[in-house]
Amino acid sequence: MATVLSVFKPTGELAQAITNFQPRAAQQQMAEAIAATVKKKGQLVVEAETGTGKTFAYLAPVLLGKGKAIISTGTKNLQEQLFHRDLPTLRKVLAPEKVVALLKGRSNYLCLHRMEQATQQAGQFSKDIQSQLITVKRWATSTRSGDMGELNALAEDASVLPQVTSTQDNCLGRDCPVYEDCHLVKARKEAMEADIVVVNHHLFFADMALKDTGFGELIPSVDTVVFDEAHQIPDIASQYFGETVSSRQLTEVCEELQRLCMTELKDLSQASAMARTLLQTLKDWRLLFPRDPMRGNWRDWRRKPEIAEVAERVQERLTLLTEVMKTAIGRNKDFDNLYERAEQHLYIWRQLMDVERTGYSFWFETTPRHVSLHQTPLSVAKTFGGYIKRNKMSWVFTSATLAVNEKFDYFTKRLGIEEADTLLLESPFDFAKQAKLCLPRYLPEANDPNRHQMLTEIAEQCVKVNRGGTFLLFTSHRMLQQMAAILRKRLDRDILVQGESGKTELLESFTKKGNAVLLGTSSFWEGVDVRGEALRCVIIDKLPFASPDDPLLNARVEDARLRGVDAFSTIQLPQAIIALKQGAGRLIRDKDDSGVLIVCDSRLVTRQYGKQFLASLPAMSRTRDLNDALSFLAQVAEKDETNND
């Protein structure tokens, strides 16, 4: 019978499952630590640097352990990879009898009731949505899972999706006429019966927040929880323990109500008229904010007279709408659901008008058409830490980037898990030979408005020497767009830019082309795994400190100041160090990888805190001379050419 010790031996189960498997001491150490944690129902925080093999290191003890487990990943893509590739590989040789389930958030599943409703109201939709609806209905007859990800014929942001999927707001639950055939209910049932459930962090915390308020339970009670990409958890948890209301939510209620009043409830003309009035007020509300999308401090904006006036008007009209709707409750289940949603949105709206409460960040965010208001707790340590103490389960948190200066305090304090065991595992890669870190001399200051010109020159020189792909990571969209425009004029390579197509499509194109230039901001700093010649150079425009305009950051900084704590060293610096570690981690993904990392920020050598950034980066050979980096890149290109001949 397999044991955690035997799995990772040269003749063990992993060697049977994976061709050319090489035992790694760090991988075995991590697996043994997790097995011990599972046995004693404890908590473990593990930083496992790139190349450690952390996925198999946590899968083995989970598969060999008793009881049920949840594995939560950072993104849906990682979730799919884990479920379809990594888990089956190890499960086949370790625990073929164990049942595994994949569970996504409700918006990923086809809602049969809303599809039927959309079909009845099809005449009120645009031609594009009508055409997409036909595609969905055709697919609906053959799908077993109802997972919208199967429907490749539709774009990820297809306009029909909100009409054929449900939200927590508009789901009718057990009152739904097709509840027994519901794809989401079936997926949940499979998860309840499975030994291992693969979810993502957003789904986990959506469920945890529901349990915490006593409304229900999405994910079954388990014995072990493993968080991969755990560095994302504090920020995601904050979202789910806060409150949000948006003009988009209110607009959806009004539009759905109008469609219902034009089809099944034609006598409710007063409700339809009230919805039309509220829709116009919501448009007026959006016009009060700048045209370009932004984030801001809601406490400050709430005090502006013109904002206060229209906010009051929205509240009045939403109140009137709920009062009119209340008189028709009981006639139609979809109508009753709309009434409940309107009531809930009104409750949260009133909450978010009271911005004098402490312990929260009040902020807003705009898109070209909508405004959302948010109330986010400054800390989730008490809530999350308390949850862990109440639930006698095993908890494992792992990522390549959790420690700052080899300490885990920044992570554990934010989650209230200071008593957790910790483990720091170094990468087996030979970074000194495989990579070179360049901090170019004579760079403009980080706030110089013309610094993009010099950075473009550096990028241009690198691309011309580099036979493979080049990845440019930015801290601002403005800098990205400035450099993209110039590079497209100067280079004869394919230039791929974030926002011009989806992330998955961009990365597939970048990998396939082999020598393209990819420009991305925040979401590209992590979750990008491109190996070999397709990525030989990573250029970072500057140290990734959070924007000073970020309202949540400002609230945390102010809270730290009031508590007499140095906000820079306890909040801003650790956050930036972890972000830089993520960005730098894009370069070397394999023992045969090689390349150059260029960080275009002189503060790494001119500021005292620069030493902390450098200490947290992989032990690459370093230079201040760009020509040294170009020479290294040329050697890599020459080697690639030789290998390809």
Side-chain angles (χ1 to χ4, degrees):
M1 182 180 170
T3 64
V4 171
L5 275 173
S6 72
V7 169
F8 300 95
K9 288 183 176 178
T11 56
E13 286 77 10
L14 258 183
Q16 298 172 32
I18 303 171
T19 308
N20 300 322
F21 169 72
Q22 296 290 326
R24 294 173 240 185
Q27 187 178 49
Q28 183 165 333
Q29 189 181 349
M30 178 174 171
E32 288 175 10
I34 291 173
T37 300
V38 170
K39 188 175 181 181
K40 70 179 184 181
K41 300 287 183 186
Q43 298 118 43
L44 176 67
V45 179
V46 188
E47 176 170 291
E49 292 183 359
T50 309
T52 307
K54 65 180 168 68
T55 304
F56 287 144
Y58 64 69
L59 284 181
V62 164
L63 282 163
L64 292 172
K66 295 177 181 178
K68 294 191 175 187
I70 288 176
I71 300 172
S72 182
T73 67
T75 63
K76 281 190 287 186
N77 285 344
L78 289 171
Q79 192 183 355
E80 299 256 5
Q81 177 184 309
L82 189 64
F83 180 76
H84 292 294
R85 191 186 75 185
D86 300 330
L87 248 176
T89 300
L90 207 50
R91 174 177 165 265
K92 185 168 62 178
V93 293
L94 288 186
E97 76 287 354
K98 288 213 167 183
V99 179
V100 180
L102 176 70
L103 188 60
K104 298 181 180 180
R106 66 167 65 244
S107 64
N108 292 280
Y109 296 96
L110 173 68
C111 174
L112 297 171
H113 175 61
R114 285 182 63 76
M115 180 181 70
E116 185 57 37
Q117 196 177 40
T119 303
Q120 293 173 7
Q121 302 168 354
Q124 298 173 45
F125 296 122
S126 67
K127 295 291 183 188
D128 278 349
I129 293 181
Q130 289 180 32
S131 173
Q132 292 169 5
L133 184 57
I134 292 169
T135 303
V136 172
K137 289 195 72 177
R138 194 177 298 129
W139 166 76
T141 61
S142 60
T143 180
R144 190 191 76 82
S145 69
D147 184 347
M148 299 302 296
E150 295 175 1
L151 191 50
N152 297 324
L154 284 186
E156 289 180 7
D157 59 350
S159 303
V160 75
L161 292 178
Q163 310 304 329
V164 295
T165 58
S166 70
T167 64
Q168 188 184 331
D169 288 340
N170 60 34
C171 176
L172 297 179
R174 292 185 180 276
D175 291 333
C176 181
V178 287
Y179 179 80
E180 296 301 325
D181 298 318
C182 176
H183 290 298
L184 176 60
V185 170
K186 289 177 180 177
R188 284 177 175 172
K189 188 172 184 291
E190 286 179 14
M192 293 287 284
E193 295 170 354
D195 300 301
I196 300 171
V197 188
V198 181
V199 302
N200 62 59
H201 300 337
H202 286 276
L203 177 57
F204 183 91
F205 283 100
D207 181 52
M208 183 175 160
L210 280 175
K211 289 178 190 171
D212 200 45
T213 52
F215 286 123
E217 187 168 319
L218 178 60
I219 299 169
S221 296
V222 294
D223 301 285
T224 301
V225 178
V226 178
F227 291 107
D228 198 350
E229 301 298 318
H231 62 278
Q232 300 175 1
I233 288 175
D235 289 332
I236 293 174
S238 292
Q239 295 174 31
Y240 286 95
F241 295 132
E243 297 284 8
T244 300
V245 66
S246 70
S247 60
R248 180 189 298 277
Q249 291 172 308
L250 297 176
T251 297
E252 286 173 355
V253 168
C254 292
E255 289 177 346
E256 288 179 38
L257 177 59
Q258 286 183 308
R259 286 198 291 271
L260 207 55
C261 290
M262 291 173 70
T263 51
E264 298 177 52
L265 300 171
K266 293 181 179 178
D267 59 318
L268 295 183
S269 57
Q270 188 181 3
S272 182
M274 288 303 307
R276 189 164 53 249
T277 304
L278 178 54
L279 279 173
Q280 184 54 55
T281 309
L282 291 169
K283 289 175 183 174
D284 296 341
W285 168 245
R286 174 62 185 92
L287 290 172
L288 292 174
F289 296 84
R291 181 177 177 180
D292 292 337
M294 67 170 291
R295 281 182 166 197
N297 186 318
W298 174 234
R299 267 198 181 104
D300 294 343
W301 280 66
R302 172 73 177 90
R303 297 184 181 108
K304 295 185 178 186
E306 65 276 20
I307 294 283
E309 181 188 340
V310 180
E312 182 63 30
R313 206 186 311 157
V314 170
Q315 184 169 314
E316 286 174 1
R317 290 179 177 173
L318 181 55
T319 302
L320 283 172
L321 178 63
T322 56
E323 288 173 355
V324 169
M325 292 178 73
K326 193 173 184 178
T327 62
I329 290 174
R331 292 181 52 186
N332 178 285
K333 288 179 180 177
D334 290 306
F335 180 86
D336 292 353
N337 172 261
L338 286 171
Y339 169 72
E340 288 171 11
R341 286 160 62 189
E343 277 276 291
Q344 180 66 12
H345 295 331
L346 177 59
Y347 172 77
I348 297 172
W349 183 276
R350 285 173 173 154
Q351 252 194 319
L352 281 156
M353 292 303 111
D354 177 12
V355 294
E356 301 308 318
R357 286 169 294 137
T358 57
Y360 295 94
S361 168
F362 292 92
W363 54 286
F364 69 87
E365 187 171 27
T366 65
T367 65
R369 296 180 60 191
H370 293 288
V371 183
S372 56
L373 305 179
H374 303 267
Q375 168 190 301
T376 305
L378 296 179
S379 170
V380 296
K382 188 176 180 182
T383 307
F384 187 76
Y387 183 90
I388 282 185
K389 284 170 185 168
R390 289 194 305 273
N391 290 271
K392 300 300 180 186
M393 295 149 56
S394 311
W395 299 82
V396 177
F397 305 83
T398 185
S399 170
T401 53
L402 290 176
V404 176
N405 297 326
E406 300 186 353
K407 294 180 180 177
F408 291 91
D409 299 12
Y410 176 66
F411 178 78
T412 57
K413 284 180 180 176
R414 292 182 74 191
L415 290 179
I417 53 171
E418 291 94 335
E419 296 174 10
D421 295 326
T422 60
L423 181 62
L424 184 62
L425 299 170
E426 293 185 1
S427 171
F429 299 155
D430 189 348
F431 285 103
K433 287 184 178 178
Q434 290 179 249
K436 189 172 285 287
L437 168 63
C438 179
L439 315 172
R441 291 191 180 96
Y442 316 121
L443 289 169
E445 290 297 318
N447 59 358
D448 188 324
N450 297 313
R451 70 192 305 270
H452 68 280
Q453 295 171 356
M454 186 167 181
L455 267 60
T456 304
E457 290 174 15
I458 291 172
E460 190 178 358
Q461 291 179 67
C462 292
V463 171
K464 287 180 177 176
V465 172
N466 184 14
R467 175 188 164 93
T470 306
F471 193 8
L472 278 71
L473 288 173
F474 296 89
T475 55
S476 78
H477 285 278
R478 184 170 174 270
M479 176 73 86
L480 180 150
Q481 296 298 339
Q482 286 176 324
M483 287 186 61
I486 300 172
L487 289 174
R488 276 187 164 140
K489 292 175 184 175
R490 295 187 186 175
L491 297 174
D492 59 359
R493 300 276 184 101
D494 288 304
I495 308 292
L496 306 174
V497 180
Q498 178 184 350
E500 294 183 357
S501 60
K503 182 177 179 180
T504 303
E505 188 181 336
L506 276 175
L507 289 173
E508 285 176 356
S509 179
F510 179 67
T511 306
K512 189 176 179 181
K513 291 177 188 299
N515 69 345
V517 180
L518 174 59
L519 292 81
T521 57
S522 53
S523 64
F524 280 77
W525 284 66
E526 58 182 280
V528 173
D529 188 4
V530 180
R531 302 177 184 219
E533 194 176 348
L535 179 55
R536 291 300 193 210
C537 180
V538 173
I539 301 173
I540 293 176
D541 76 328
K542 64 178 179 180
L543 297 178
F545 285 106
S547 167
D549 298 328
D550 184 325
L552 185 53
L553 173 69
N554 284 336
R556 285 180 176 145
V557 168
E558 176 64 13
D559 180 64
R561 187 187 66 78
L562 292 172
R563 290 185 288 112
V565 175
D566 178 11
F568 181 77
S569 63
T570 59
I571 299 173
Q572 293 158 289
L573 184 59
Q575 190 176 9
I577 288 172
I578 285 175
L580 184 66
K581 286 172 72 174
Q582 280 289 337
R586 299 314 98 212
L587 182 63
I588 304 298
R589 308 296 300 171
D590 189 273
K591 65 181 177 62
D592 297 319
D593 268 350
S594 53
V596 168
L597 170 66
I598 301 175
V599 184
C600 302
D601 196 323
S602 58
R603 290 177 292 181
L604 276 173
V605 289
T606 61
R607 300 292 173 88
Q608 191 66 28
Y609 58 72
K611 294 176 183 176
Q612 295 188 51
F613 280 101
L614 292 172
S616 293
L617 291 177
M620 304 174 182
S621 59
R622 296 176 186 171
T623 181
R624 297 292 318 276
D625 189 342
L626 182 62
N627 288 323
D628 282 352
L630 294 174
S631 176
F632 187 90
L633 206 49
Q635 291 170 29
V636 173
E638 190 177 326
K639 187 179 175 184
D640 285 336
E641 190 169 6
T642 302
N643 291 338
N644 289 335
D645 287 342

